Every structure is written in structure tokens, then in C-alpha cells.
Amino acid sequence: MEKQTQCTRKTKQSERPVEPLPGPASDSPSTILTLIERVALDPHADVEKLDRMMAMYERLKAKEAELAYNAAKGRILKKLAGVKIVKNRPVLSDIDNGKQRGTVEAFKYAPLEEIDKHLRPLLAEEQMDLSYSDEPWDGGGILIRGRLKHLPSGHFEDSFMPAPPDTTGGKSNVQAVGSTNSFLRRYVACNIFNIVVVGDDDDGTGGTIDEAQAKTIVELIKKAKVGPKFLKYMRAQSVEEAGSLETAVATIAARDYRKAVSTLEEQIAKAEVGHAHLS
């Protein structure tokens, strides 16, 4: 009778539901963190397994931060596509050629504060920050680092641009450094956000994009894996008409450069999000 009772107890114990073991790792950092906490509380935990899980967690957090950064930057680019930033500050030059003497307007440019006026509200809206720092450069020049950072996620990307001191116009050493510093900051901001500054005496068309811009768009097209519809959307020639992708891209209007870049980067960001959910 006692044996029968013991057998019955054993049978009942075996019928109790068994607590499931941690399943396959999800692509959610919070899920991985929960598993890490469970393993860490286990006195018999495998240290190597815990290290691998921590490494996985760090990779997922970094990817999540990068996706948030790309999405925020993409939204800023899309809004900037509808903003016209004009060259409104003249640069004067003294002339004395024997026949004419005086000061004339050499050219115009968009100062940093003009660019910042349009850019800063968009950065604040997306909780992003653009900061600058200067570093020594070989040959006595100046190297400006622009850092675009997504504050909630912490992800950032740097852009660099060097130049020698601007000694034109009889500037002192301090003035030369200040002029170059301001010049480089403007160009770093324009490079990061693909800003095309237009003259105040034209309609903003400026013909077609230049060689460097065409190269940037071709690289983005290949990364985004878009088809002929993109060229049609940008009102450019088709590959068949132009003879090659590079030639077709070169027919995109200069006024549409930012629109093209923001559209492609938006497609790339969407593809990365989809890939992250599937992996």
C-alpha cells in the first residue's frame, strides 16, 4: 500500500507543469535584458553564456539607436527639402586697376546664422543636436568636426572638413582663423543635411546637380535598391534614354537635390527597420 502511495505521489509530481526554459532570443533589447537578469540571479549561471547575452544586448541597443537616429534625420531632411536658404550676405572686394577704384561686391554667401535659423528648430523638434569642435590639422590648417547626435538614443555621427586659414583681405592671424572656422562650420552643416544654398537673384533651379551630388545620389540609389520609378519621380531621364544610371541621375534638377536625398534616405531607413524586425 505504501509503495502504491509513493508511486502515486511520483505520478502526481511528474504531472505538474514544468517551468519553461528561456526561448530563442527576441530582437527586443528589453527581452534580452530580462533574460540577462534571470541568468545573473542563477548561482549556477554560465559566465560565458552571460557574456554572449550581454554582447547581444549591446548590439541590439546600438542598432535600435542607429535606427532612431536615421529616422529622426530623415524627417529633418524631408522638411528641409521645402526650405529655401538664400545667399544674402555680400563679400566686398577692393579694386584699383587704374581705370576703376573702390569697393565692389565679389559674391554672396549664406552665413552660418542663416542656415542655423532654419535648421535649429528642426533639430530641437527631433531631439537632435549639432555641435562643432576644432582640431589641429597638418600644415597649420584647421579641421572642424561636426557631430550630429540623437539625444534620446545617444547615437551620433561625425563629419570632418579641413582648410587652411583664410588670410585674404589683409586679415590678422586671429581673423584668419575665425573666418575659416565659420566657413567650415557652414559647409559641415550643409554636408550633413545636403543643404543647397541658392542665390537671391534666381528661381532656385540652378540647372542640374553637380558631379559630387550625382555620385552621392547614385550611391544612395544602390543602397536603397530603388527602381526606374525614382528617376521618373525626380523628373529625370530614364536609364534607357541617358545610356547609364550615372548619366540619368545627372539630369536631376539642382533644386531637387535635397528632395532626392531625403527620399532615398527615407527608403533606406524603412528597409533597415523591416530587416531588423525580420532578423
Side-chain angles (χ1 to χ4, degrees):
M1 183 69 178
E2 185 179 350
K3 289 183 180 180
Q4 184 177 0
T5 304
Q6 290 176 351
C7 289
T8 304
R9 286 175 182 171
K10 288 180 182 179
T11 303
K12 288 182 179 178
Q13 288 173 354
S14 64
E15 290 175 351
R16 291 176 184 173
V18 179
E19 183 180 352
L21 295 173
S26 163
D27 60 355
S28 168
S30 59
T31 302
I32 299 298
L33 185 59
T34 301
L35 292 175
I36 290 172
E37 290 173 348
R38 289 176 61 183
V39 174
L41 292 172
D42 184 355
H44 304 292
D46 186 333
V47 177
E48 290 186 3
K49 181 183 290 185
L50 185 60
D51 287 342
R52 290 196 299 271
M53 293 177 72
M54 284 296 298
M56 181 186 297
Y57 173 74
E58 294 298 331
R59 288 196 302 271
L60 288 172
K61 285 292 291 182
K63 186 63 178 177
E64 188 179 68
E66 183 182 0
L67 291 173
Y69 169 95
N70 289 338
K73 183 181 177 183
R75 289 190 291 269
I76 291 176
L77 287 169
K78 192 171 184 179
K79 292 173 183 177
L80 278 174
V83 175
K84 183 178 180 181
I85 300 177
V86 177
K87 300 175 183 178
N88 58 5
R89 180 168 296 181
V91 174
L92 305 179
S93 177
D94 295 327
I95 61 168
D96 185 0
N97 55 16
K99 297 180 180 179
Q100 187 179 3
R101 186 176 183 179
T103 303
V104 297
E105 181 182 301
F107 59 89
K108 286 185 177 181
Y109 70 97
L112 184 60
E113 54 264 32
E114 178 68 19
I115 296 170
D116 194 71
K117 179 179 72 176
H118 298 284
L119 183 57
R120 192 61 51 181
L122 300 180
L123 290 171
E125 187 178 328
E126 293 294 343
Q127 294 183 281
M128 299 192 87
D129 176 67
L130 177 59
S131 59
Y132 306 94
S133 61
D134 59 309
E135 302 178 11
W137 187 47
D138 294 340
I142 299 171
L143 177 68
I144 290 294
R145 176 207 301 264
R147 172 165 292 183
L148 180 63
K149 184 175 183 179
H150 185 240
L151 299 176
S153 69
H155 184 82
F156 65 86
E157 291 182 2
D158 290 339
S159 179
F160 299 87
M161 184 166 285
D166 175 21
T167 57
T168 60
K171 295 183 181 70
S172 66
N173 290 338
V174 174
Q175 289 172 328
V177 170
S179 175
T180 301
N181 193 298
S182 177
F183 170 85
L184 291 175
R185 289 182 183 214
R186 295 200 319 270
Y187 274 84
V188 165
C190 290
N191 282 348
I192 291 174
F193 290 101
N194 307 304
I195 294 173
V196 178
V197 181
V198 300
D200 58 356
D201 57 349
D202 59 33
D203 60 0
T205 59
T208 56
I209 58 176
D210 60 30
E211 184 178 353
Q213 292 170 337
K215 184 178 179 182
T216 297
I217 292 179
V218 168
E219 290 173 353
L220 288 173
I221 286 175
K222 292 177 180 177
K223 191 174 181 181
K225 297 180 181 178
V226 295
K229 288 184 178 179
F230 171 75
L231 291 172
K232 186 177 180 180
Y233 172 68
M234 298 308 304
R235 298 179 181 177
Q237 290 184 5
S238 66
V239 174
E240 291 74 16
E241 292 171 330
S244 69
L245 175 61
E246 290 75 11
T247 307
V249 167
T251 64
I252 293 175
R255 67 174 181 274
D256 292 332
Y257 175 66
R258 280 182 289 165
K259 177 182 176 182
V261 172
S262 62
T263 300
L264 290 169
E265 291 194 340
E266 190 176 40
Q267 290 297 317
I268 293 169
K270 287 180 180 178
E272 287 178 343
V273 170
H275 179 71
H277 286 316
L278 291 173
S279 60

